[in-house]
Short mmCIF file of all heavy atoms in Angstrom, two decimals:
data_model
loop_
_atom_site.label_atom_id
_atom_site.label_comp_id
_atom_site.label_asym_id
_atom_site.label_seq_id
_atom_site.Cartn_x
_atom_site.Cartn_y
_atom_site.Cartn_z
N GLU Z 887 81.07 1.96 -19.88
CA GLU Z 887 81.63 1.95 -21.22
C GLU Z 887 81.30 0.64 -21.91
O GLU Z 887 81.16 -0.38 -21.26
CB GLU Z 887 83.16 2.11 -21.16
CG GLU Z 887 83.62 3.41 -20.56
CD GLU Z 887 85.14 3.47 -20.43
OE1 GLU Z 887 85.79 2.65 -21.08
OE2 GLU Z 887 85.64 4.31 -19.68
N CYS Z 888 81.18 0.67 -23.22
CA CYS Z 888 80.93 -0.56 -23.97
C CYS Z 888 82.16 -1.45 -23.91
O CYS Z 888 83.28 -0.97 -24.12
CB CYS Z 888 80.61 -0.26 -25.43
SG CYS Z 888 79.00 0.50 -25.70
N PRO Z 889 81.99 -2.75 -23.65
CA PRO Z 889 83.13 -3.66 -23.76
C PRO Z 889 83.63 -3.72 -25.20
O PRO Z 889 82.97 -3.26 -26.12
CB PRO Z 889 82.54 -5.02 -23.33
CG PRO Z 889 81.29 -4.67 -22.60
CD PRO Z 889 80.79 -3.42 -23.22
N ALA Z 890 84.77 -4.32 -25.37
CA ALA Z 890 85.36 -4.40 -26.70
C ALA Z 890 84.55 -5.32 -27.61
O ALA Z 890 83.83 -6.19 -27.16
CB ALA Z 890 86.79 -4.92 -26.59
N VAL Z 891 84.68 -5.09 -28.89
CA VAL Z 891 84.12 -5.99 -29.89
C VAL Z 891 85.21 -6.99 -30.25
O VAL Z 891 86.32 -6.61 -30.60
CB VAL Z 891 83.67 -5.22 -31.15
CG1 VAL Z 891 83.19 -6.19 -32.23
CG2 VAL Z 891 82.57 -4.23 -30.80
N PHE Z 892 84.89 -8.28 -30.15
CA PHE Z 892 85.90 -9.28 -30.44
C PHE Z 892 86.32 -9.22 -31.90
O PHE Z 892 85.51 -8.95 -32.79
CB PHE Z 892 85.36 -10.68 -30.12
CG PHE Z 892 85.17 -10.94 -28.66
CD1 PHE Z 892 84.01 -11.50 -28.19
CD2 PHE Z 892 86.16 -10.61 -27.74
CE1 PHE Z 892 83.82 -11.75 -26.85
CE2 PHE Z 892 85.99 -10.85 -26.40
CZ PHE Z 892 84.82 -11.42 -25.94
N GLU Z 893 87.57 -9.52 -32.14
CA GLU Z 893 88.08 -9.51 -33.50
C GLU Z 893 87.46 -10.62 -34.34
O GLU Z 893 87.35 -10.50 -35.55
CB GLU Z 893 89.61 -9.66 -33.48
CG GLU Z 893 90.33 -8.49 -32.81
CD GLU Z 893 91.82 -8.71 -32.75
OE1 GLU Z 893 92.28 -9.77 -33.24
OE2 GLU Z 893 92.52 -7.84 -32.22
N ASP Z 894 87.10 -11.71 -33.69
CA ASP Z 894 86.50 -12.84 -34.40
C ASP Z 894 84.99 -12.69 -34.50
O ASP Z 894 84.36 -12.06 -33.66
CB ASP Z 894 86.78 -14.15 -33.64
CG ASP Z 894 87.89 -14.96 -34.32
OD1 ASP Z 894 88.15 -14.73 -35.51
OD2 ASP Z 894 88.47 -15.83 -33.64
N GLU Z 895 84.42 -13.29 -35.53
CA GLU Z 895 82.99 -13.50 -35.55
C GLU Z 895 82.67 -14.68 -34.63
O GLU Z 895 83.53 -15.49 -34.32
CB GLU Z 895 82.49 -13.77 -36.97
CG GLU Z 895 83.18 -14.95 -37.64
CD GLU Z 895 83.06 -14.88 -39.16
OE1 GLU Z 895 83.84 -14.13 -39.78
OE2 GLU Z 895 82.21 -15.60 -39.70
N TRP Z 896 81.43 -14.77 -34.19
CA TRP Z 896 81.06 -15.76 -33.19
C TRP Z 896 81.39 -17.19 -33.64
O TRP Z 896 81.98 -17.97 -32.89
CB TRP Z 896 79.57 -15.65 -32.86
CG TRP Z 896 79.09 -16.76 -31.97
CD1 TRP Z 896 79.19 -16.81 -30.61
CD2 TRP Z 896 78.48 -17.98 -32.38
NE1 TRP Z 896 78.66 -18.00 -30.14
CE2 TRP Z 896 78.22 -18.73 -31.21
CE3 TRP Z 896 78.11 -18.51 -33.62
CZ2 TRP Z 896 77.61 -19.99 -31.25
CZ3 TRP Z 896 77.50 -19.76 -33.65
CH2 TRP Z 896 77.26 -20.48 -32.48
N ALA Z 897 81.01 -17.55 -34.85
CA ALA Z 897 81.22 -18.92 -35.31
C ALA Z 897 82.70 -19.28 -35.39
O ALA Z 897 83.11 -20.39 -35.02
CB ALA Z 897 80.55 -19.12 -36.67
N ALA Z 898 83.52 -18.35 -35.85
CA ALA Z 898 84.97 -18.61 -35.90
C ALA Z 898 85.52 -18.77 -34.49
O ALA Z 898 86.40 -19.61 -34.25
CB ALA Z 898 85.67 -17.47 -36.63
N ALA Z 899 85.00 -18.00 -33.54
CA ALA Z 899 85.45 -18.12 -32.16
C ALA Z 899 85.10 -19.49 -31.58
O ALA Z 899 85.87 -20.05 -30.79
CB ALA Z 899 84.83 -17.02 -31.30
N GLN Z 900 83.96 -20.04 -31.98
CA GLN Z 900 83.60 -21.38 -31.50
C GLN Z 900 84.59 -22.43 -31.98
O GLN Z 900 84.93 -23.36 -31.24
CB GLN Z 900 82.19 -21.75 -31.97
CG GLN Z 900 81.09 -20.82 -31.50
CD GLN Z 900 81.15 -20.57 -30.00
OE1 GLN Z 900 81.04 -21.48 -29.19
NE2 GLN Z 900 81.33 -19.30 -29.64
N VAL Z 901 85.06 -22.28 -33.20
CA VAL Z 901 86.05 -23.21 -33.74
C VAL Z 901 87.37 -23.09 -32.99
O VAL Z 901 88.02 -24.09 -32.68
CB VAL Z 901 86.26 -22.97 -35.25
CG1 VAL Z 901 87.34 -23.91 -35.80
CG2 VAL Z 901 84.95 -23.17 -36.01
N ARG Z 902 87.75 -21.88 -32.66
CA ARG Z 902 89.05 -21.66 -32.02
C ARG Z 902 89.04 -22.02 -30.53
O ARG Z 902 90.09 -22.31 -29.95
CB ARG Z 902 89.46 -20.19 -32.16
CG ARG Z 902 89.60 -19.72 -33.60
CD ARG Z 902 90.16 -18.30 -33.64
NE ARG Z 902 89.81 -17.60 -34.85
CZ ARG Z 902 90.44 -17.73 -36.02
NH1 ARG Z 902 91.45 -18.57 -36.11
NH2 ARG Z 902 90.05 -17.04 -37.08
N THR Z 903 87.87 -22.00 -29.90
CA THR Z 903 87.82 -22.23 -28.46
C THR Z 903 87.36 -23.65 -28.10
O THR Z 903 87.25 -23.98 -26.91
CB THR Z 903 86.86 -21.23 -27.78
OG1 THR Z 903 85.56 -21.34 -28.38
CG2 THR Z 903 87.38 -19.80 -27.92
N SER Z 904 87.09 -24.49 -29.08
CA SER Z 904 86.58 -25.84 -28.84
C SER Z 904 87.51 -26.89 -29.43
O SER Z 904 88.11 -26.67 -30.49
CB SER Z 904 85.18 -25.99 -29.44
OG SER Z 904 84.29 -25.02 -28.93
N ILE Z 905 87.61 -28.02 -28.74
CA ILE Z 905 88.53 -29.09 -29.14
C ILE Z 905 87.76 -30.39 -29.32
O ILE Z 905 86.98 -30.79 -28.45
CB ILE Z 905 89.62 -29.30 -28.07
CG1 ILE Z 905 90.35 -27.98 -27.78
CG2 ILE Z 905 90.61 -30.38 -28.51
CD1 ILE Z 905 91.04 -27.37 -28.97
N ASP Z 906 88.00 -31.06 -30.45
CA ASP Z 906 87.47 -32.41 -30.68
C ASP Z 906 88.53 -33.45 -30.34
O ASP Z 906 89.72 -33.14 -30.24
CB ASP Z 906 87.08 -32.59 -32.15
CG ASP Z 906 85.78 -31.90 -32.51
OD1 ASP Z 906 85.34 -31.02 -31.74
OD2 ASP Z 906 85.21 -32.23 -33.56
N TYR Z 907 88.09 -34.68 -30.17
CA TYR Z 907 89.03 -35.79 -29.98
C TYR Z 907 88.37 -37.11 -30.38
O TYR Z 907 87.14 -37.21 -30.46
CB TYR Z 907 89.52 -35.87 -28.53
CG TYR Z 907 88.42 -36.10 -27.52
CD1 TYR Z 907 88.00 -37.38 -27.18
CD2 TYR Z 907 87.79 -35.02 -26.88
CE1 TYR Z 907 86.98 -37.59 -26.26
CE2 TYR Z 907 86.79 -35.22 -25.96
CZ TYR Z 907 86.38 -36.50 -25.65
OH TYR Z 907 85.37 -36.71 -24.75
N ALA Z 908 89.17 -38.10 -30.65
CA ALA Z 908 88.73 -39.48 -30.92
C ALA Z 908 87.63 -39.55 -31.97
O ALA Z 908 86.64 -40.25 -31.81
CB ALA Z 908 88.27 -40.14 -29.62
N HIS Z 909 87.83 -38.84 -33.09
CA HIS Z 909 86.88 -38.98 -34.19
C HIS Z 909 86.87 -40.43 -34.67
O HIS Z 909 87.90 -41.09 -34.72
CB HIS Z 909 87.27 -38.07 -35.35
CG HIS Z 909 86.77 -36.67 -35.20
ND1 HIS Z 909 86.71 -35.77 -36.24
CD2 HIS Z 909 86.29 -36.00 -34.11
CE1 HIS Z 909 86.23 -34.62 -35.82
NE2 HIS Z 909 85.97 -34.72 -34.53
N GLY Z 910 85.70 -40.91 -35.04
CA GLY Z 910 85.60 -42.27 -35.57
C GLY Z 910 85.46 -43.34 -34.52
O GLY Z 910 85.38 -44.52 -34.86
N SER Z 911 85.44 -42.97 -33.24
CA SER Z 911 85.31 -43.95 -32.17
C SER Z 911 83.87 -43.97 -31.65
O SER Z 911 83.46 -43.05 -30.93
CB SER Z 911 86.26 -43.63 -31.01
OG SER Z 911 85.96 -44.43 -29.89
N PRO Z 912 83.09 -45.00 -31.98
CA PRO Z 912 81.71 -45.08 -31.46
C PRO Z 912 81.67 -45.14 -29.93
O PRO Z 912 80.75 -44.60 -29.32
CB PRO Z 912 81.17 -46.38 -32.08
CG PRO Z 912 82.03 -46.63 -33.27
CD PRO Z 912 83.38 -46.11 -32.90
N LEU Z 913 82.67 -45.77 -29.31
CA LEU Z 913 82.70 -45.87 -27.86
C LEU Z 913 82.88 -44.49 -27.23
O LEU Z 913 82.16 -44.12 -26.29
CB LEU Z 913 83.81 -46.80 -27.41
CG LEU Z 913 83.93 -47.01 -25.89
CD1 LEU Z 913 82.67 -47.66 -25.35
CD2 LEU Z 913 85.17 -47.85 -25.57
N ALA Z 914 83.83 -43.72 -27.76
CA ALA Z 914 84.06 -42.37 -27.23
C ALA Z 914 82.82 -41.50 -27.43
O ALA Z 914 82.45 -40.71 -26.55
CB ALA Z 914 85.27 -41.73 -27.90
N ALA Z 915 82.15 -41.65 -28.58
CA ALA Z 915 80.95 -40.86 -28.85
C ALA Z 915 79.84 -41.21 -27.88
O ALA Z 915 79.16 -40.32 -27.35
CB ALA Z 915 80.49 -41.09 -30.29
N TYR Z 916 79.65 -42.49 -27.60
CA TYR Z 916 78.58 -42.90 -26.69
C TYR Z 916 78.87 -42.45 -25.27
O TYR Z 916 78.01 -41.87 -24.59
CB TYR Z 916 78.39 -44.41 -26.72
CG TYR Z 916 77.33 -44.89 -25.75
CD1 TYR Z 916 75.98 -44.71 -26.04
CD2 TYR Z 916 77.69 -45.50 -24.55
CE1 TYR Z 916 75.00 -45.13 -25.15
CE2 TYR Z 916 76.71 -45.92 -23.65
CZ TYR Z 916 75.37 -45.74 -23.95
OH TYR Z 916 74.40 -46.15 -23.06
N LEU Z 917 80.08 -42.69 -24.81
CA LEU Z 917 80.41 -42.39 -23.42
C LEU Z 917 80.44 -40.89 -23.14
O LEU Z 917 80.16 -40.46 -22.02
CB LEU Z 917 81.76 -43.01 -23.06
CG LEU Z 917 81.81 -44.55 -23.06
CD1 LEU Z 917 83.21 -45.03 -22.71
CD2 LEU Z 917 80.79 -45.14 -22.09
#
Side-chain angles (χ1 to χ4, degrees):
E887 298 176 16
C888 289
V891 175
F892 291 133
E893 296 177 0
D894 257 340
E895 56 201 80
W896 173 83
Q900 300 310 299
V901 177
R902 300 186 204 279
T903 57
S904 303
I905 306 300
D906 284 17
Y907 61 88
H909 276 197
S911 169
L913 181 62
Y916 178 75
L917 295 179

